Amino acid sequence: MNINKTNYIVFNPSSANNTDIRVELNDIQLENKKSARFLGITVDAKLNWNEHCAELVKRINVICFQIRKLKLILPHSFLLQYYYAQVYSRLSYGVVFWGGSVGAQDVFIAQKRIVRSFEQI
């Protein structure tokens, strides 16, 4: 285990912030984080998924711009493959966890923006 990369999160869904917990490993104090990326999903201390959804929206908006530029030079079938590789795979991964959160609405709106750009082809 790399101690320099190891940190911990205290899960506390309420608004109270408990920073009295101290974790040590081999006499080195580990850093307490408010959020961390674990297997591609951003988990935060309150388990509200807002940070993960905001990252998804940011990435989907970049891909939407790319699709709008690529649709001028690529056939529809290639764009569809690009959509499934870049967008659908990200949306379907972990949707069981973050799909019911408040931030999921923004993610699905960003997805609709891409789907609408396909209609204009």
Side-chain angles (χ1 to χ4, degrees), residues 9-18 44-47:
I9 297 176
V10 177
F11 293 103
N12 189 2
S14 68
S15 62
N17 191 5
N18 188 0
D44 65 348
K46 296 187 181 191
L47 294 175

Side-chain angles (χ1 to χ4, degrees), residues 97-111:
F97 303 113
W98 59 265
S101 69
V102 175
Q105 182 71 24
D106 296 334
V107 175
F108 297 128
I109 288 172
Q111 180 197 21

Side-chain angles (χ1 to χ4, degrees), residues 29-89:
Q29 183 176 352
L30 300 179
E31 183 181 359
N32 183 4
K33 296 271 193 165
K34 297 202 184 285
S35 67
R37 202 156 166 84
F38 182 70
L39 297 176
I41 296 178
T42 304
V43 181
D44 65 348
K46 296 187 181 191
L47 294 175
N48 62 14
W49 306 108
N50 289 337
E51 190 172 336
H52 179 74
C53 291
E55 289 175 9
L56 274 175
V57 167
K58 183 178 176 182
R59 183 66 187 142
I60 289 172
N61 285 337
V62 168
I63 295 168
C64 182
F65 175 78
Q66 292 170 349
I67 286 177
R68 286 183 181 161
K69 295 298 180 185
L70 288 173
K71 75 179 182 180
L72 302 173
I73 58 174
L74 291 176
H76 182 72
S77 60
F78 288 144
L79 291 175
L80 201 56
Q81 288 177 355
Y82 186 73
Y83 167 80
Y84 277 108
Q86 296 295 323
V87 178
Y88 183 79
S89 62

